[in-house]
Amino acid sequence: MKAVLTHVSEASVTVDGDVVGAINCAETGGILALVGVGREDDEEAWQKMARKIAELRILDGEKSVEDVNAPVLLVSQFTLLGRTAKGRRPSWGDAAPGEVAEPIIAKIASALRERGIHVEEGRFGANMQVQSVNEGPFTVLVET
């Protein structure tokens, strides 16, 4: 499993002209989490990813999402698993199929909510337009 976590002051996801998820968090900051699920990812992987999203100290003052009650916009992004070492066309063979990945993304969202974190989401499998205002900019790649 891979994720790109970006410290944002606001972020949103639009599908077919409708905003389906948005966070506006100029005071505390928040996290835009683009998460790709791999074929081999298991319960340990998604639990670790949920912990990383909640606990990594990547907001102002080395604070975490949990420390400052910051929101998270969670967006599934299988393209993070693309392999580009050979040729000109990425290989998506490492990405989990949708019927496997979708429930894992839902479990990550649920685990974050169980921690009291406000979570907004994209729409799985949709053509999404993701907008964000990056702070810092501060972006990290997380792998489990």
Side-chain angles (χ1 to χ4, degrees):
M1 184 172 300
K2 291 183 181 181
V4 173
L5 305 182
T6 302
H7 176 192
V8 298
S9 57
E10 61 184 78
S12 64
V13 176
T14 303
V15 176
D16 295 329
D18 295 323
V19 175
V20 298
I23 57 174
N24 191 338
C25 43
E27 280 189 33
T28 62
I31 298 294
L32 170 60
L34 306 173
V35 179
V37 179
R39 289 188 175 278
E40 304 298 319
D41 290 333
D42 56 11
E43 184 171 354
E44 182 180 345
W46 70 255
Q47 287 180 348
K48 184 175 183 179
M49 184 60 72
R51 263 193 325 275
K52 291 288 189 180
I53 294 169
E55 297 176 5
L56 275 177
R57 296 183 306 173
I58 60 176
L59 299 177
D60 289 341
E62 293 190 9
K63 301 290 185 183
S64 71
V65 165
E66 274 190 328
D67 291 338
V68 297
N69 197 30
V72 172
L73 177 57
L74 179 65
V75 179
S76 175
Q77 188 164 349
F78 79 94
T79 59
L80 290 174
L81 281 291
R83 281 187 277 138
T84 59
K86 293 183 181 179
R88 298 181 306 148
R89 183 175 296 148
S91 168
W92 311 116
D94 292 342
E99 62 271 8
V100 173
E102 186 172 14
I104 290 175
I105 295 295
K107 288 176 183 178
I108 293 170
S110 179
L112 292 170
R113 288 182 179 114
E114 286 174 11
R115 289 171 167 255
I117 297 167
H118 177 81
V119 178
E120 294 280 325
E121 297 180 66
R123 183 173 298 151
F124 192 90
N127 181 16
M128 296 178 274
Q129 290 73 52
V130 180
Q131 295 183 335
S132 64
V133 177
N134 299 356
E135 290 296 322
F138 196 108
T139 300
V140 295
L141 177 64
V142 178
E143 297 181 74
T144 61

